[in-house]
Structures are given as C-alpha cells and as structure tokens.
C-alpha cells in the first residue's frame, strides 16, 4: 500500500465488528513470560495495545507501511510498545521473537508459502505464529472484483483485482503448509462472523475502509470516485433491503 492511502477514521467506523476476530485469535496464543512480539500491519494501534497488555509482553512492536495509520498508532505508544514503518511483505526480524501476530492483513501479500516460511524463520525456539485472513468470496469482494474487471477500470488498473482472491488459501492447504514448515501444534479453522449493520448502505462504508482501498491507491481521484459509484450501485442492487442487515 502506498503511504497515507488508508483512512483510519473510515476503517474504525466498524471497530467493534473488525475487532472480534482479533480477540478470538489472541485467545489461541499461549502466553509466555517476557514475550517479544511483532504485530504485522498494526493499523491504528489500538488492538496492538490490547495484544501487548493482554500477554504482558516485555516488548511489542507494531509494523505498518501506511503513514496515516502509524501517526494514529504512535499516539498510543508506551514504554515497551512502539511502532515502526516497514512493508510486511518484506519484513523479517533482526532479533528472533516469541510471537508474530497478524490480524486481517496477510491477505494483502502474495505467495503465502514463502511468506510463512520467512515469518517462521523470525521466531524463537518456542515462538508462535498467529494470523487471521478473510476469505474473498463474499458478495462485497465479488462485487469489487466484477467492477474492476469492467472498462474503463480494467485498463486503468492494468488488470489488477483484489489480491486475496489469489493469495488466501483454503484451511486445509494452510494446515499442510504449516505442518511442512514445522508447526506440529496448530489450530486452523474457518469461522463466519455474523454482523448486524444498520442497512445495506453500511456495507459500502465497510468496503470504503478496507476492500476498496487498493483501488483508491491505483486510480486517479476522479476514476476512483467513478469506481465507488459503480460499486455502490451494484452492491445496493445485489443486497436485500433489510434493516438491520445481516452481514456475514
């Protein structure tokens, strides 16, 4: 992602809903004394704070590549909790850590086989890897990809589509891959999170804070506004008029 592309305020409009997978992932981590932790793609930092205090870590560093997110995150920095700018697609630890944690982020990185092997090499002898990624087959994701595949957007985007459709593996493939990388104890699962949103317009707001962001990065302001309008018209047609709207 380019610097300053993500909008922390837009992202946090659904802070509660976005946070539940984080807490479920945190529950799977086995606490250790004086843990050294890295949170990849820490975003605005609020959940990194929960990670740091919840595990009583000795040192936690949040990694992100977006200036707006890091500006927000640095406001919650404390002794033992700090934030650094780096690309998670290239990141590796200079000193082995006890936990590499990533909530709703690794789907932006291609080639998970090499990615997870590099993250494993950053772990200490008893180190843990905990990550969560969304599936890419929801109506919201499919709608965004369909719009991206239409002209003029296909040409403007040079064929780019939402990366998770290609990057995210099935739970079974993750289990096999993690076993091959030496993770004998693992918990791999697929979970559906049922959210009740105010209306189908809320799905557009949700997408503006996440799914549509890479298109914003790659399009001019006018072209992106046209992309959002097209996406809005399409998704509002496809979704029911229920209020509240069930959004899994």
């Amino acid at each position: 992602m380019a610097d300053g592309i993500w909008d922390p305020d837009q992202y946090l409009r659904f802070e509660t809903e976005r946070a539940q997978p984080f807490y479920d992932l945190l529950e799977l981590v086995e606490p250790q004394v004086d843990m050294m932790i890295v949170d990849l793609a820490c975003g605005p930092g609020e959940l990194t704070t929960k990670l740091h205090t919840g595990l009583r870590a000795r040192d936690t560093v949040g990694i992100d590549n977006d200036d707006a997110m890091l500006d927000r995150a640095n406001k919650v920095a404390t002794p033992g909790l700090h934030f650094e700018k780096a690309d998670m697609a290239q990141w590796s630890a200079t000193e082995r850590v006890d936990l590499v944690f990533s909530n709703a982020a690794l789907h932006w990185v291609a080639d998970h086989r090499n990615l997870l092997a590099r993250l494993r090499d950053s772990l200490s002898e008893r180190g843990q890897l905990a990550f969560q990624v969304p599936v890419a087959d929801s109506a919201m994701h499919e709608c965004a990809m369909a719009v991206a595949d239409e002209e003029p957007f296909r040409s403007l985007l040079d064929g780019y589509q939402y990366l998770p459709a290609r990057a995210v593996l099935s739970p079974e493939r993750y289990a096999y891959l993690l076993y091959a990388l030496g993770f004998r104890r693992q918990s791999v699962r697929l979970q559906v999170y049922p959210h009740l949103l105010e209306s189908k317009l809320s799905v557009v707001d949700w997408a503006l804070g996440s799914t549509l962001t890479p298109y914003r990065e790659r399009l001019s302001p006018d072209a992106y506004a046209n992309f959002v309008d097209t996406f809005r018209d399409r998704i509002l047609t496809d979704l029911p008029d229920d209020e509240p709207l069930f959004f899994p």
Side-chain angles (χ1 to χ4, degrees):
M1 294 299 167
D3 298 344
I5 290 298
W6 287 85
D7 183 341
D9 292 328
Q10 184 71 38
Y11 181 83
L12 290 173
R13 288 193 63 176
F14 300 97
E15 182 177 10
T16 299
E17 292 86 352
R18 295 188 192 278
Q20 189 55 57
F22 164 87
Y23 288 109
D24 289 346
L25 185 61
L26 180 57
E27 284 291 320
L28 296 175
V29 176
E30 298 180 3
Q32 301 172 11
V33 177
D34 292 334
M35 295 182 76
M36 301 280 288
I37 297 174
V38 169
D39 183 13
L40 290 181
C42 62
E46 284 86 351
L47 294 179
T48 311
T49 301
K50 302 290 186 183
L51 176 67
H52 178 69
T53 58
L55 293 174
R56 299 180 181 180
R58 175 160 56 96
D59 186 80
T60 299
V61 56
I63 300 294
D64 210 285
N65 196 36
D66 187 89
D67 289 334
M69 289 293 195
L70 285 172
D71 286 345
R72 179 70 67 89
N74 280 318
K75 295 178 181 179
V76 298
T78 60
L81 171 63
H82 56 286
F83 300 90
E84 297 177 1
K85 184 175 182 178
D87 183 354
M88 64 179 172
Q90 306 296 328
W91 176 87
S92 60
T94 55
E95 178 183 357
R96 290 183 180 268
V97 298
D98 302 306
L99 172 64
V100 173
F101 188 97
S102 184
N103 177 59
L106 296 187
H107 53 290
W108 297 114
V109 182
D111 191 358
H112 280 193
R113 178 178 295 276
N114 286 328
L115 169 66
L116 296 182
R118 178 161 42 82
L119 297 183
R120 176 205 57 190
D121 292 343
S122 294
L123 294 174
S124 62
E125 183 178 351
R126 295 195 303 153
Q128 301 172 69
L129 173 62
F131 67 97
Q132 177 269 128
V133 291
V135 297
D137 60 355
S138 72
M140 178 179 65
H141 297 145
E142 291 179 351
C143 181
M145 288 189 290
V147 173
D149 199 39
E150 298 175 355
E151 295 294 352
F153 307 114
R154 183 176 178 82
S155 296
L156 293 172
L157 293 164
D158 194 25
Y160 171 85
Q161 286 191 333
Y162 186 57
L163 179 61
R166 303 188 301 273
V168 175
L169 309 178
S170 69
E172 293 85 357
R173 290 183 65 190
Y174 277 118
Y176 278 115
L177 174 55
L178 291 168
Y179 184 83
L181 291 173
F183 293 96
R184 296 298 183 260
R185 296 176 59 197
Q186 54 176 259
S187 176
V188 181
R189 68 191 189 195
L190 176 64
Q191 182 164 337
V192 175
Y193 288 89
H195 302 308
L196 282 180
L197 303 185
E198 183 176 348
S199 70
K200 60 185 181 181
L201 283 172
S202 300
V203 177
V204 179
D205 284 332
W206 184 295
L208 286 170
S210 54
T211 305
L212 299 186
T213 300
Y215 300 109
R216 178 186 175 198
E217 177 184 7
R218 292 167 171 82
L219 294 170
S220 69
D222 287 344
Y224 177 66
N226 188 14
F227 187 97
V228 172
D229 287 343
T230 305
F231 171 84
R232 180 184 293 109
D233 291 343
R234 182 78 53 80
I235 198 71
L236 294 185
T237 299
D238 292 344
L239 292 173
D241 293 323
D242 300 343
E243 295 185 6
L245 178 74
F246 179 71
F247 181 60

